[in-house]
Amino acid sequence: MSQHNLETLQARGIRWNTAMSILIFITQFIALYFLNKIISPEDFGKAAWALSAFLIAFAFSNLSLDLIGIRQKEINQSQLTAIFYASLLINVILFLLFFFVLPTLTTETTASSAPYLKAFSLVFLFNTVKVIPFIQLNRKLQFDRIGGINLIS
């Protein structure tokens, strides 16, 4: 791949990433606005607490395992398998934590947020499925497809 093509793909990737980040932020803001109108302020606070805990855990859910596959010049099937199983282990632990452990804590806030925690916990199971395809899309510099997938999910 020539230097010019790489720079063009990189610029296109930056534009797609920026556009998708803005679009995802706007979508989340609109969703929160309507959620605030649908549920009571008390329930909104419980959902917000659960969402905050979820977002912190989600930031650590792949531990940048997808970047390992991008950095290497060549990647073989055994490396992809190792990345997948490491991601699976991390996400299953987070699922179990959110589905079984956090709802049983004795504080009133966490106990009343249990339905939200359990709902958010399912995302960890689906998160594992996207690691390998995202590595392959990143290696092919198909940022538009990655942005579209992130927007839909």
Side-chain angles (χ1 to χ4, degrees):
M1 187 174 293
S2 72
Q3 182 66 24
H4 178 67
N5 285 346
L6 189 58
E7 289 173 0
T8 303
L9 286 172
Q10 187 178 28
R12 190 173 125 218
I14 291 170
R15 285 193 304 271
W16 267 102
N17 194 20
T18 302
M20 285 300 124
S21 295
I22 291 169
L23 197 54
I24 288 169
F25 175 78
I26 291 169
T27 309
Q28 289 173 341
F29 183 78
I30 292 170
L32 283 176
Y33 173 79
F34 285 110
L35 184 64
N36 187 29
K37 298 292 182 187
I38 294 171
I39 63 176
S40 71
E42 183 180 328
D43 286 339
F44 188 80
K46 294 172 189 175
W49 181 92
L51 182 61
S52 298
F54 167 76
L55 290 175
I56 291 168
F58 192 75
F60 296 102
S61 67
N62 71 0
L63 294 177
S64 301
L65 291 172
D66 52 347
L67 296 178
I68 294 170
I70 296 168
R71 289 189 57 208
Q72 297 178 345
K73 219 170 206 182
E74 297 293 326
I75 189 162
N76 60 38
Q77 188 62 37
S78 65
Q79 291 169 319
L80 288 174
T81 302
I83 291 169
F84 174 78
Y85 283 117
S87 175
L88 180 64
L89 177 66
I90 292 165
N91 282 288
V92 165
I93 290 170
L94 288 170
F95 167 77
L96 294 172
L97 177 71
F98 270 71
F99 199 86
F100 295 109
V101 177
L102 289 181
T104 62
L105 295 178
T106 57
T107 66
E108 184 180 323
T109 305
T110 54
S112 60
S113 299
Y116 302 107
L117 290 168
K118 288 182 178 186
F120 290 142
S121 71
L122 299 174
V123 174
F124 293 117
L125 296 179
F126 295 113
N127 191 38
T128 301
V129 176
K130 74 174 187 142
V131 172
I132 301 303
F134 270 47
I135 289 172
Q136 293 168 336
L137 289 173
N138 271 311
R139 290 178 66 80
K140 294 177 185 176
L141 303 176
Q142 295 181 337
F143 303 113
D144 52 342
R145 294 180 88 187
I146 293 170
I149 292 167
N150 281 334
L151 180 62
I152 291 169
S153 65

